[in-house]
Amino acid sequence: MSRHRNVRSMNYSDEYDGYDDVYGHSVEDDYCMSPSEAAFMYDREGKSKQKMGAFFQTVTDIAEENEGELESKENSLSEVDRARLESCIEQIKQTIGSSVPRQDLVNILLMYNFNIEKSINFILDNPQYKDVKLPEKKDKVPVLSKDSEVSSVKVVTPGPKTTNVTKGFDLAQKEANRLNVTPRSQSPASGRGTPINIQPSSEQNDDVKNFKQKDNKTDVVTQYKKERGGSKEHLYMVVIGHVDAGKSTLMGHLLCSLGQVNQKTMHKYEQESRKLGKQSFMYAWVLDETGEERNRGITMDVGKSQFETDTKLVTLLDAPGHKDFIPNMISGAGQADVALLVVDATRGEFETGFDYGGQTREHALLVRSLGVSQLAVAINKLDTVSWSQERFNEITQKLKVFLKQAGFKENDVAFVPCSGLTGQNLVEKPTENELLTWYNGPCLINVIDNFRSPDRPISKPFRHSINDIFKGTGSGFCVSGRIETGSLSTGDRVLVCPSKELATVKALAIEEVSQQIAFAGDQVSVTLSGIEMQNVSIGYILCDPQNPVQVASKFQARIVVFNVTVPITKGFPVVIHHQSLVEPAVISKLISQLNKSTGEVIKKHPRCLGNNSSAMVEIQVSRPIALEVYSDCKELGRIMIRVGGVTIAAGLITKVILSTN
Amino acid sequence: MKLLYKNVDKEGEGTVGLIAEEPEDMWHAYNLISEGDSVRSTTIRKVQSESATGSSTSNRVRTTLTICVESIDFDTQACVLRLKGRNVEENQYVKMGAYHTLDLELNRKFSLKKQEWDSIALERVDMACDPTQNADVAAVIMQEGLAHVCLITASMTLIRAKIDVNIPRKRKGFVQQHEKGLTKFYDNVMQAILRHVNFDIVKCVLIASPGFVRDQFYEYMFQTAIKTDNKLLLENKSKFMLVHSSSGFKHSLKEVLQDSAVINKMSDTKAAGEVKALENFYTMLQCEPAKAFYGKKHVEKACEAQAIETLLISDNLFRCSDVALRKEYVKLVDMAREAGGEVKIFSSMHISGEQLDQLTGIAAILRFPMPELDEEDESDTEN
Ligand SMILES: Nc1nc2c(ncn2[C@@H]2O[C@H](COP(=O)(O)OP(=O)(O)OP(=O)(O)O)[C@@H](O)[C@H]2O)c(=O)[nH]1
Ligand SMILES: [Mg+2]
């Protein structure tokens, strides 16, 4: 099952099936523990009959809650929102008359987050309001026609005519944006974001243009087909594995064989690495570019490069394997669709990486918890064991068992023997006789080509997580990262969260090639203007101002505890990873301990959480962060919890707690 | 802290005269003074005086005042204790009952009168006046783009500087921005060390980070020191010590203080002792949960059963303004000691004290298991 499949026609059982496996089984069978410890372990029997029920249940619960919330929302709106509501109702009445009951209008508007256009569309499409007609003269109203004309836009948008009405709250809003807490986040009812609309009169023209673009976005699927239909599918692949497994060498050699690195450069690397006495790292230098990395022969941050297979355009993310750089690895893995796990077949080395505390294990668990479900395993350095089939089988068997427990489906995992240093079985059939005697499967490049490209959630509201901030060539500065959902065009205005500042997209580029539009799944560099570079940090989210993400410093999450040396109590200081964001946080409350398979509450307010338990907890972050509930947006609803350099739990955000003061 | 005199009678009522000599002492004073105590010290007061012609002038006079404390505010940066309260002693400039804010500063004599000096308060005076307790350590805890420069004294961990900058990541073909960002970051950290670390007092500077950040930084700092001929750094080079930590966040200090090399070098400091004690508690909770409890209700039960082997309690709990509640905690400590238990009073200004505060502020390791406690819902700890 791929990361983004089934988004539109979401089928819960399918979607959660694979996922729950991670949580359901986790890896307890493998973690050795002393008998005395085992006696205090909760819930040991849960492991054998894991079912997807657990997650399924919480998630449906959440959906129901949200629906119920709609009624009587009006009363609990903040003043700002109420003012906005009034002005929207006013405008709708101007457009379609007042035949729709006010209460209905309120609900519809809230449902569409004050988006007048969508609300009107809803009313017009709904048989319940069949008497409602657009006034005769205005048959060119943009609501109905795809190619709207700017002249009529004012009918449905807070155009110049209504600015006076809305000015009051606009100002208030603007001021509130300076602070981290807006009136919106104080209003208890606004479970979902309301649009943030800052429209100083000088920028009104801009806004009108924007609305035209927004209009086009309803047609984003068509546009996606038009833009991308003809070209190869884009795939993002993260390369993971224990330190020194040969990830960078393997990828460097692959790029070289595919002609992505020119001979002159390669020759230079060979010469220079020899000078340092590190000639065996010459291929790794393709991806390890900083001086530190080259001197030490260790990848420290994710290296990025691109190559093509028969049917795909692959962006590879070469993650560092060293334990201390797992935060970087997580930010890379968070942007990937699929993963390539590299293991060192050398005797003793595979074992080190696969032991407890080895990164073969932690990386695999992490990518699975981050939503990656397809995995290829490169059994590397087979040259060091004279291409022994026995060794290959031994490793494959061990990994199969583990990966299944980690939540990967057997069909979604492929194994391929290779050597990154000698280049065997990378892009061509092997030439090594010892290997040929027993292997006639695909080579690495074919395995990569066989990955299924995930569906991209392009029609959801726009979200982009910032992974890097740097100076571009021209004016302004760039932020790069992955578009998690939706699409983005040049000229769009975006809201930067959690600081809630507006910015304008000056330019877009994918792999240094400039673009007019980019879609979910793409890793883009966005040139921003209208905002200071210092006011943006890694881990911030860019989103659609009409449909912003939530911002909070406290939330509830359902977590599954992996292997911990000491139990988790309330007050436990942890580090949370949310997309590229790394923030210190505290587990502020243990709400309940859950049965791992059924999701049932076993104990309220447990004193502590031990190995392999599952629980609902409250987490307090040191400052507000941008986030989403998992059921609304999977990409922004996942967190990893780490302590002292070890991943102790993975969680799904179930509820955002807005501060009330 | 210098003790000038101590007149405390058998009932515990009395006055103690003290001079705070070091920043650390202000913290002790903060923990000693409670609302309702009387404090006497010199202060500056603005006085309005009317001349014969009727025009009024205001001038500042130095006078000695005694106030009954109503609120206490500790400014860790300026190292000043602000006490606000009413004047309780006849004074030529200030009327009885008038409000005044006394700023207790370093090296200013003050006397403190309490209705009741309990064991915790008396112990605090002894601890404050023990000169062997001074071992100042500076720690720089960092990761790429984030650094905290802290000073660790016996009972305080003070963050003196936080450097939080964005370093562009490495990108294909553009590593210069990354390397430039890194150099600038190291420079910022180095400046912060020079500004905040007093090498006359500090015996040891710990530099902790994941990966190679500490090594890179150390190299950068001393190369720069040689280039700029910075004698101060070069002379103190031997005081630096590189340690591993999993992140540059403040709470990773805990890992640093547990590092065996650090423990050897620093010998027994209060900060490290507290980290160890809390760690023991968690280990017990993992191995034998029926012998580790937290929360007032559970710990009180365990204390009644004389089961407490080690009591961990945050000094935060003794600073509460509710006199009755403070008494309960004092009683708990006294009882646990009588029953042969060890009591560790954590400083809430240390990393592990902060964590203990989050964990209800009170925890205990027991001598024998009390599984029956587990059955009860510890409702007062969940709120
Ligand atoms: N014999 C042999 N050595 C290999 C092979 N692949 C990599 N190596 C060696 O293994 C060492 C580590 O290679 P890297 O590519 O840097 O490993 P890595 O997995 O990228 O390491 P990190 O990124 O630091 O986690 C180098 O000395 C390589 O030459 C292989 O197939 N055979
Ligand atoms: Mg590498």
Side-chain angles (χ1 to χ4, degrees):
Chain A
M1 191 188 69
S2 57
R3 188 178 156 136
H4 296 300
R5 246 185 36 192
N6 300 330
V7 171
R8 260 159 294 147
S9 55
M10 191 147 64
N11 171 342
Y12 274 111
S13 59
D14 196 326
E15 187 66 23
Y16 286 100
D17 204 14
Y19 206 70
D20 182 68
D21 281 356
V22 189
Y23 292 89
H25 285 264
S26 87
V27 282
E28 61 196 4
D29 320 49
D30 307 305
Y31 284 127
C32 36
M33 46 202 145
S34 69
S36 72
E37 275 175 312
F40 297 100
M41 221 122 293
Y42 294 95
D43 187 22
R44 300 257 315 147
E45 67 286 355
K47 69 183 176 205
S48 49
K49 39 171 180 175
Q50 74 292 333
K51 270 268 157 269
M52 31 135 301
F55 266 95
F56 191 115
Q57 214 170 334
T58 33
V59 172
T60 30
D61 279 348
I62 295 161
E64 276 159 19
E65 251 171 54
N66 280 348
E67 279 154 31
E69 238 176 66
L70 269 180
E71 345 162 346
S72 80
K73 246 188 170 179
E74 195 188 354
N75 296 336
S76 38
L77 286 178
S78 68
E79 265 175 45
V80 175
D81 283 351
R82 233 182 266 188
R84 170 167 300 164
L85 191 65
E86 288 308 325
S87 90
C88 292
I89 292 177
E90 194 67 17
Q91 284 182 56
I92 293 188
K93 284 187 177 163
Q94 280 177 13
T95 318
I96 57 170
S98 44
S99 51
V100 180
R102 186 191 142 87
Q103 191 51 44
D104 286 16
L105 278 181
V106 170
N107 283 343
I108 294 166
L109 275 167
L110 287 177
M111 187 161 79
Y112 285 112
N113 276 315
F114 302 96
N115 186 320
I116 298 172
E117 187 183 336
K118 284 187 185 157
S119 305
I120 294 180
N121 274 337
F122 176 83
I123 295 168
L124 291 174
D125 290 346
N126 196 323
Q128 193 189 334
Y129 310 114
K130 54 181 181 297
D131 322 7
V132 179
K133 292 252 159 45
L134 283 175
E136 232 69 286
K137 279 183 293 181
K138 295 188 177 168
D139 48 12
K140 275 194 289 177
V141 162
V143 185
L144 300 173
S145 56
K146 292 278 183 261
D147 290 319
S148 61
E149 279 177 39
V150 181
S151 65
S152 51
V153 163
K154 66 172 180 258
V155 180
V156 287
T157 61
K161 200 172 151 200
T162 48
T163 331
N164 290 339
V165 185
T166 56
K167 210 161 211 162
F169 68 74
D170 273 348
L171 285 176
Q173 190 93 43
K174 198 170 176 187
E175 200 161 69
N177 285 335
R178 301 269 160 267
L179 308 166
N180 270 332
V181 199
T182 64
R184 178 176 77 78
S185 52
Q186 292 163 3
S187 130
S190 46
R192 289 287 329 155
T194 45
I196 298 229
N197 228 335
I198 301 176
Q199 313 166 314
S201 44
S202 64
E203 283 176 57
Q204 268 165 11
N205 288 338
D206 257 14
D207 277 314
V208 171
K209 240 195 321 205
N210 263 358
F211 269 89
K212 195 178 171 188
Q213 262 154 2
K214 289 272 138 63
D215 234 16
N216 290 342
K217 278 198 176 173
T218 53
D219 206 17
V220 68
V221 180
T222 331
Q223 199 166 353
Y224 182 69
K225 286 207 180 104
K226 198 179 96 201
E227 291 266 333
R228 300 287 162 87
S231 53
K232 289 182 179 180
E233 287 173 309
H234 214 141
L235 189 75
Y236 290 86
M237 178 179 81
V238 64
V239 185
I240 56 173
H242 194 70
V243 63
D244 275 353
K247 299 176 290 296
S248 306
T249 303
L250 187 70
M251 288 299 112
H253 205 145
L254 187 81
L255 288 169
C256 221
S257 311
L258 289 170
Q260 296 288 317
V261 187
N262 72 38
Q263 299 228 301
K264 215 170 100 200
T265 316
M266 210 52 237
H267 183 71
K268 198 177 103 201
Y269 289 166
E270 192 180 340
Q271 297 297 320
E272 287 177 12
S273 60
R274 182 181 295 142
K275 256 187 251 155
L276 277 174
K278 291 209 179 285
Q279 204 192 352
S280 70
F281 286 91
M282 61 183 251
Y283 288 114
W285 278 30
V286 174
L287 289 144
D288 294 350
E289 290 191 276
T290 69
E292 278 297 310
E293 288 180 324
R294 289 182 177 177
N295 287 333
R296 295 186 194 270
I298 279 190
T299 308
M300 297 188 190
D301 202 352
V302 176
K304 211 163 112 181
S305 198
Q306 233 184 1
F307 63 88
E308 285 185 34
T309 64
D310 290 344
T311 64
K312 303 211 164 56
L313 183 62
V314 183
T315 298
L316 80 88
L317 303 157
D318 175 41
H322 192 290
K323 193 168 187 287
D324 278 355
F325 303 120
I326 287 185
N328 294 338
M329 175 267 169
I330 292 177
S331 79
Q335 314 205 5
D337 304 313
V338 299
L340 173 67
L341 174 65
V342 181
V343 296
D344 185 343
T346 315
R347 285 184 215 289
E349 291 299 326
F350 166 73
E351 285 72 12
T352 320
F354 189 62
D355 271 351
Y356 302 95
Q359 270 60 62
T360 305
R361 221 166 249 278
E362 189 167 6
H363 278 191
L365 273 174
L366 276 169
V367 293
R368 188 63 194 90
S369 304
L370 286 165
V372 171
S373 61
Q374 297 180 72
L375 184 77
V377 184
I379 314 288
N380 193 30
K381 303 200 191 178
L382 270 175
D383 56 314
T384 63
V385 290
S386 13
W387 304 99
S388 153
Q389 180 178 17
E390 210 180 309
R391 182 68 175 159
F392 177 81
N393 287 342
E394 180 195 347
I395 293 174
T396 317
Q397 284 316 317
K398 281 189 182 156
L399 281 174
K400 268 189 182 151
V401 176
F402 163 70
L403 291 173
K404 203 168 161 200
Q405 281 161 354
F408 289 97
K409 286 191 185 146
E410 210 165 323
N411 291 339
D412 285 335
V413 183
F415 293 89
V416 55
C418 61
S419 164
L421 197 61
T422 66
Q424 278 294 308
N425 208 25
L426 299 189
V427 295
E428 278 164 17
K429 289 266 163 224
T431 51
E432 204 72 56
N433 284 333
E434 280 148 310
L435 180 59
L436 279 171
T437 54
W438 58 270
Y439 187 78
N440 63 358
C443 55
L444 183 61
I445 194 89
N446 300 121
V447 172
I448 295 172
D449 191 51
N450 281 339
F451 278 127
R452 297 180 306 276
S453 287
D455 272 353
R456 312 288 185 190
I458 49 175
S459 27
K460 291 179 87 180
F462 165 70
R463 266 115 188 78
H464 169 281
S465 54
I466 298 178
N467 177 42
D468 192 10
I469 303 162
F470 54 92
K471 286 226 172 62
T473 40
S475 66
F477 66 98
C478 302
V479 297
S480 79
R482 175 184 170 102
I483 299 186
E484 302 294 342
T485 56
S487 63
L488 183 68
S489 313
T490 49
D492 277 1
R493 304 203 81 193
V494 292
L495 189 69
V496 182
C497 284
S499 61
K500 294 187 179 163
E501 279 189 76
L502 276 173
T504 306
V505 175
K506 280 282 167 241
L508 281 177
I510 299 178
E511 297 300 328
E512 316 293 332
V513 181
S514 89
Q515 309 278 338
Q516 282 307 307
I517 182 164
F519 303 94
D522 293 344
Q523 266 172 32
V524 291
S525 301
V526 183
T527 310
L528 291 180
S529 72
I531 186 169
E532 292 288 317
M533 188 165 173
Q534 304 91 275
N535 295 350
V536 183
S537 285
I538 288 179
Y540 278 21
I541 306 286
L542 303 182
C543 61
D544 178 359
Q546 297 296 313
N547 207 335
V549 291
Q550 308 210 50
V551 173
S553 55
K554 209 190 240 182
F555 58 88
Q556 267 182 24
R558 192 195 145 116
I559 63 165
V560 164
V561 182
F562 299 147
N563 194 29
V564 285
T565 48
V566 298
I568 300 173
T569 60
K570 75 184 261 185
F572 212 64
V574 296
V575 174
I576 61 162
H577 291 249
H578 177 257
Q579 288 297 342
S580 294
L581 183 78
V582 187
E583 276 287 308
V586 168
I587 309 267
S588 46
K589 248 187 225 175
L590 306 183
I591 299 167
S592 55
Q593 187 171 351
L594 308 174
N595 180 316
K596 258 175 131 175
S597 20
T598 63
E600 245 174 273
V601 174
I602 307 176
K603 192 172 181 189
K604 282 205 163 156
H605 309 311
R607 288 202 301 140
C608 58
L609 302 172
N611 279 353
N612 302 303
S613 53
S614 170
M616 196 65 92
V617 299
E618 186 183 280
I619 296 175
Q620 171 84 53
V621 194
S622 49
R623 53 186 171 189
I625 62 170
L627 74 178
E628 292 270 33
V629 168
Y630 182 76
S631 56
D632 286 347
C633 177
K634 286 200 277 304
E635 293 76 9
L636 300 181
R638 292 192 183 94
I639 51 158
M640 296 295 130
I641 303 177
R642 308 189 81 233
V643 169
V646 179
T647 308
I648 59 157
L652 306 180
I653 298 170
T654 54
K655 191 168 154 194
V656 171
I657 302 170
L658 301 168
S659 61
T660 41
N661 54 355
Chain B
M1 192 100 90
K2 198 152 130 201
L3 181 67
L4 301 172
Y5 57 88
K6 183 159 121 190
N7 304 323
V8 179
D9 66 19
K10 275 213 269 333
E11 271 71 55
E13 189 178 341
T15 309
V16 173
L18 295 161
I19 297 177
E21 294 169 319
E22 286 175 43
E24 176 88 355
D25 296 339
M26 280 336 278
W27 170 250
H28 291 307
Y30 176 52
N31 279 282
L32 268 177
I33 302 171
S34 335
E35 285 150 43
D37 295 351
S38 307
V39 176
R40 181 181 174 80
S41 178
T42 63
T43 183
I44 307 271
R45 175 88 183 180
K46 232 197 231 158
V47 232
Q48 304 272 348
S49 56
E50 222 162 282
S51 67
T53 56
S55 66
S56 76
T57 52
S58 106
N59 46 347
R60 297 150 71 82
V61 293
R62 179 166 285 277
T63 177
T64 301
L65 280 184
T66 308
I67 61 164
C68 177
V69 179
E70 288 182 16
S71 78
I72 310 159
D73 179 35
F74 182 35
D75 181 341
T76 55
Q77 290 303 316
C79 220
V80 176
L81 204 54
R82 295 210 170 84
L83 308 172
K84 194 174 159 208
R86 286 175 191 273
N87 183 23
V88 290
E89 232 169 64
E90 221 39 84
N91 183 289
Q92 98 180 83
Y93 304 108
V94 187
K95 283 203 287 280
M96 281 288 278
Y99 272 106
H100 184 80
T101 302
L102 268 186
D103 279 357
L104 285 192
E105 288 167 11
L106 288 182
N107 299 316
R108 181 165 300 165
K109 187 183 128 189
F110 70 95
S111 62
L112 171 63
K113 184 172 167 202
K114 277 179 182 292
Q115 297 296 327
E116 188 189 346
W117 285 86
D118 56 34
S119 57
I120 301 292
L122 288 172
E123 201 174 295
R124 176 69 74 171
V125 173
D126 292 343
M127 181 163 74
C129 300
D130 178 359
T132 61
Q133 294 254 350
N134 297 324
D136 282 1
V137 175
V140 183
I141 177 144
M142 60 200 296
Q143 67 189 38
E144 254 183 48
L146 178 70
H148 289 96
V149 177
C150 345
L151 289 182
I152 307 173
T153 65
S155 44
M156 289 195 288
T157 300
L158 300 171
I159 306 286
R160 281 299 179 220
K162 178 179 173 186
I163 294 119
D164 188 355
V165 297
N166 164 52
I167 297 174
R169 287 177 186 264
K170 69 169 190 190
R171 283 185 305 134
K172 194 125 206 72
F174 297 93
V175 282
Q176 304 90 323
Q177 271 197 39
H178 170 78
E179 290 178 346
K180 233 169 81 189
L182 209 54
T183 314
K184 209 167 138 209
F185 168 65
Y186 290 152
D187 195 57
N188 287 343
V189 180
M190 178 172 162
Q191 295 312 324
I193 291 181
L194 289 172
R195 198 166 328 122
H196 296 289
V197 178
N198 179 351
F199 285 97
D200 296 336
I201 303 172
V202 167
K203 297 178 184 69
C204 173
V205 185
L206 305 173
I207 298 182
S209 82
F212 308 103
V213 177
R214 57 181 180 275
D215 306 279
Q216 269 173 275
F217 169 67
Y218 180 80
E219 209 172 286
Y220 172 86
M221 182 166 59
F222 283 102
Q223 268 174 12
T224 316
I226 291 169
K227 254 187 250 155
T228 58
D229 195 27
N230 187 321
K231 295 241 168 46
L232 186 65
L233 277 179
L234 294 173
E235 276 163 16
N236 287 288
K237 192 168 179 181
S238 63
K239 286 186 181 169
F240 285 84
M241 188 174 167
L242 306 184
V243 202
H244 180 269
S245 72
S246 69
S247 77
F249 298 120
K250 199 176 97 184
H251 68 239
S252 282
L253 256 184
K254 197 164 78 175
E255 298 159 30
V256 177
L257 294 175
Q258 274 178 305
D259 189 292
S260 55
V262 174
I263 292 175
N264 281 341
K265 179 136 185 175
M266 287 171 53
S267 65
D268 214 15
T269 66
K270 186 167 158 61
E274 288 174 6
V275 170
K276 185 94 193 84
L278 194 61
E279 197 60 30
N280 289 345
F281 171 77
Y282 273 100
T283 311
M284 188 57 90
L285 194 60
Q286 170 86 336
C287 303
E288 278 190 74
K291 280 170 74 178
F293 288 91
Y294 62 86
K296 184 159 173 274
K297 211 165 113 196
H298 279 170
V299 173
E300 268 172 352
K301 287 250 166 67
C303 188
E304 277 160 28
Q306 306 206 323
I308 296 184
E309 188 171 85
T310 316
L311 177 69
L312 320 178
I313 186 164
S314 163
D315 57 15
N316 204 7
L317 296 181
F318 300 113
R319 280 201 307 273
C320 68
S321 47
D322 180 344
V323 182
L325 194 61
R326 176 182 162 113
K327 275 205 176 117
E328 283 176 37
Y329 286 121
V330 174
K331 197 174 131 215
L332 203 60
V333 170
D334 291 344
M335 268 175 68
R337 280 201 178 122
E338 258 162 49
E342 187 192 357
V343 176
K344 294 224 179 246
I345 299 178
F346 278 49
S347 166
S348 48
M349 286 292 277
H350 277 322
I351 295 299
S352 42
E354 263 175 44
Q355 187 178 344
L356 184 62
D357 272 343
Q358 296 278 340
L359 187 73
T360 71
I362 184 163
I365 303 173
L366 310 193
R367 289 199 184 90
F368 48 85
M370 292 184 71
E372 63 274 20
L373 290 184
D374 215 348
E375 320 284 76
E376 294 169 42
D377 194 25
E378 174 78 348
S379 46
D380 63 341
T381 64
E382 300 291 342
N383 33 41

